[in-house]
Amino acid sequence: MVQDKDRIGFIGTYGNRAANMIVAQSDLIIAVGIRLGLRQIGHNKELFAPHAKLIRADIDQAELSRQIKEDEEKYLVDATDFMEKLLNEDIPDYSEWSKRCFALKEYLEGIDDTDGNRLIKAIGSMLPQNPIVAVDIGQTMCWVAQSMALKGRTGRILIGGSYGAMGVGLPYAIGASIANNNSKVFCITGDGGLQMNIQELETVVRENLPIKILVVNNHVLGKISEVQEKSYGRRFAQTTKESGYSVPNFENVAKAYGMKAVTLGSYKELNKCVDWLNDNEACLIDITLPWETKLLPKIEFNTMEVMSRLDESTMHKALEILNI
């Protein structure tokens, strides 16, 4: 598992701003086992990494059959074999470019953070070395991808990705725990995702699985309501309290199943639950977020433009760091 100090971030529609800026200015992209779907490259493929040569390696012929760039190189090969051959090549020194990339990351650190990002960073700081983390679909998944940094090298984040299978967080956690001799697993889910499979709390209690359920609860179907707000003139439908969506008292529900549970008014209260995260009992921690908490930054599919733009002086400084 790549640690925070070793990575720039992920790219695409909700990707880290620094990572997207770097891809846009790169002259070579090597994609190993990466789908490069619409969420990563946008609707207009010509705008993705416009200055870069693209080299792709994958074991899935179907993925390689999709053409991203006209002159791209494709290799049907196992990732390990590809990387071993690549490392045996005469690779030029790119340390100066790497230094500029990490300087840009440092300069833009936190510039797009919302309470969602801050909550995930707080959770990450409290997790043990090499944890197993199961993540649900929605805003939660994007905040984890943007801001979760694991301690150690062998931890795993189990994520649904482009499948869009809302509700997978708790089932993933149950499966991961059983597969690892009923070990401790951390489940990060949203209020909407948890309700999709909330009956599985009984499985957790019955099988005595030490699963720590952290509910990112903004009392709306966040990702869908964002689309309804921005693309459909705030015509919300079954995504907010006023439009037909509601949230139960998760603390009471968990306790009814025989699980210890607590409701927190903010991520700033997480320190009250340190012992719960470290013991070997199942628990549910319901963490309240403001309903209007948004995903930032967001890139438009058609233009690859960031909707929440930097002010002129910040953008000028960022491009200066990349020596542009």
Side-chain angles (χ1 to χ4, degrees):
M1 176 60 62
V2 178
Q3 295 179 322
D4 191 52
K5 66 180 179 62
D6 301 320
R7 70 183 180 103
I8 300 294
F10 84 114
I11 66 171
T13 306
Y14 296 105
N16 297 83
R17 190 184 295 263
N20 279 325
M21 289 183 68
I22 289 165
V23 165
Q25 301 301 329
S26 294
D27 58 14
L28 174 64
I29 304 292
I30 301 176
V32 183
I34 298 172
R35 183 166 182 261
L36 292 182
L38 284 178
R39 290 285 186 178
Q40 293 173 301
I41 67 173
H43 182 71
N44 189 342
K45 293 187 288 188
E46 288 72 24
L47 297 177
F48 171 70
H51 312 295
K53 170 75 174 180
L54 177 60
I55 299 174
R56 299 169 63 197
D58 208 301
I59 58 170
D60 188 343
Q61 180 64 63
E63 290 296 347
L64 291 178
S65 68
R66 295 167 46 253
Q67 194 77 10
I68 308 299
K69 287 178 174 283
E70 288 186 6
D71 62 345
E72 68 184 43
E73 293 182 23
K74 304 178 185 180
Y75 298 93
L76 185 65
V77 62
D78 179 84
T80 300
D81 294 338
F82 179 81
M83 293 305 297
E84 286 177 349
K85 291 177 181 177
L86 181 65
L87 292 173
N88 286 325
E89 295 285 329
D90 184 15
I91 301 173
D93 180 17
Y94 61 92
S95 57
E96 183 56 37
W97 169 246
S98 177
K99 190 184 303 180
R100 294 204 301 269
C101 291
F102 279 96
L104 177 66
K105 175 194 172 183
E106 183 177 354
Y107 176 65
L108 296 177
E109 186 69 38
I111 200 165
D112 296 305
D113 279 2
T114 66
D115 278 351
N117 298 97
R118 287 184 276 271
L119 183 155
I120 296 301
K121 288 180 179 179
I123 292 173
S125 70
M126 297 172 67
L127 297 185
Q129 290 273 332
N130 303 315
I132 300 173
V133 183
V135 183
D136 219 317
I137 301 297
Q139 287 176 316
T140 304
M141 177 181 71
C142 298
W143 283 323
V144 167
Q146 290 174 342
S147 300
M148 175 64 77
L150 301 187
K151 306 179 189 111
R153 289 284 178 178
T154 60
R156 289 291 180 268
I157 297 177
L158 310 177
I159 201 162
S162 295
Y163 290 113
M166 185 176 170
V168 300
L170 185 53
Y172 274 7
I174 291 170
S177 179
I178 293 172
N180 287 274
N181 299 314
N182 290 12
S183 65
K184 189 184 305 180
V185 174
F186 300 87
C187 173
I188 303 178
T189 184
D191 49 274
L194 180 57
Q195 291 189 81
M196 299 287 285
N197 281 301
I198 198 166
Q199 75 283 352
E200 297 304 336
L201 292 175
E202 176 64 21
T203 305
V204 175
V205 173
R206 185 183 65 245
E207 300 299 325
N208 196 28
L209 303 174
I211 294 175
K212 314 296 184 175
I213 303 166
L214 298 117
V215 186
V216 180
N217 189 353
N218 55 4
H219 293 80
V220 296
L221 293 179
K223 209 159 183 290
I224 305 169
S225 67
E226 279 197 37
V227 174
Q228 293 174 348
E229 177 180 358
K230 294 172 182 175
S231 301
Y232 296 95
R234 296 180 63 85
R235 292 193 292 275
F236 300 111
Q238 286 75 52
T239 57
T240 65
K241 182 178 180 181
E242 293 75 16
S243 67
Y245 172 76
S246 58
V247 176
N249 184 314
F250 289 117
E251 178 182 348
N252 287 348
V253 172
K255 285 179 177 177
Y257 278 106
M259 182 184 298
K260 63 183 182 183
V262 67
T263 303
L264 304 180
S266 164
Y267 67 90
K268 295 177 182 178
E269 299 177 19
L270 265 171
N271 60 330
K272 298 177 181 178
C273 301
V274 173
D275 291 341
W276 283 20
L277 293 178
N278 287 303
D279 66 25
N280 289 310
E281 297 179 34
C283 68
L284 183 146
I285 303 171
D286 184 8
I287 310 159
T288 303
L289 276 186
W291 76 269
E292 67 273 15
T293 307
K294 298 292 189 293
L295 276 170
L296 296 175
K298 184 179 187 300
I299 290 179
E300 287 283 13
F301 258 17
N302 294 330
T303 65
M304 296 302 285
E305 291 286 332
V306 181
M307 293 176 67
S308 50
R309 299 186 179 184
L310 298 175
D311 63 74
E312 189 174 338
S313 62
T314 305
M315 177 60 80
H316 177 76
K317 177 63 175 177
L319 294 175
E320 189 179 75
I321 290 172
L322 287 178
N323 197 25
I324 296 167

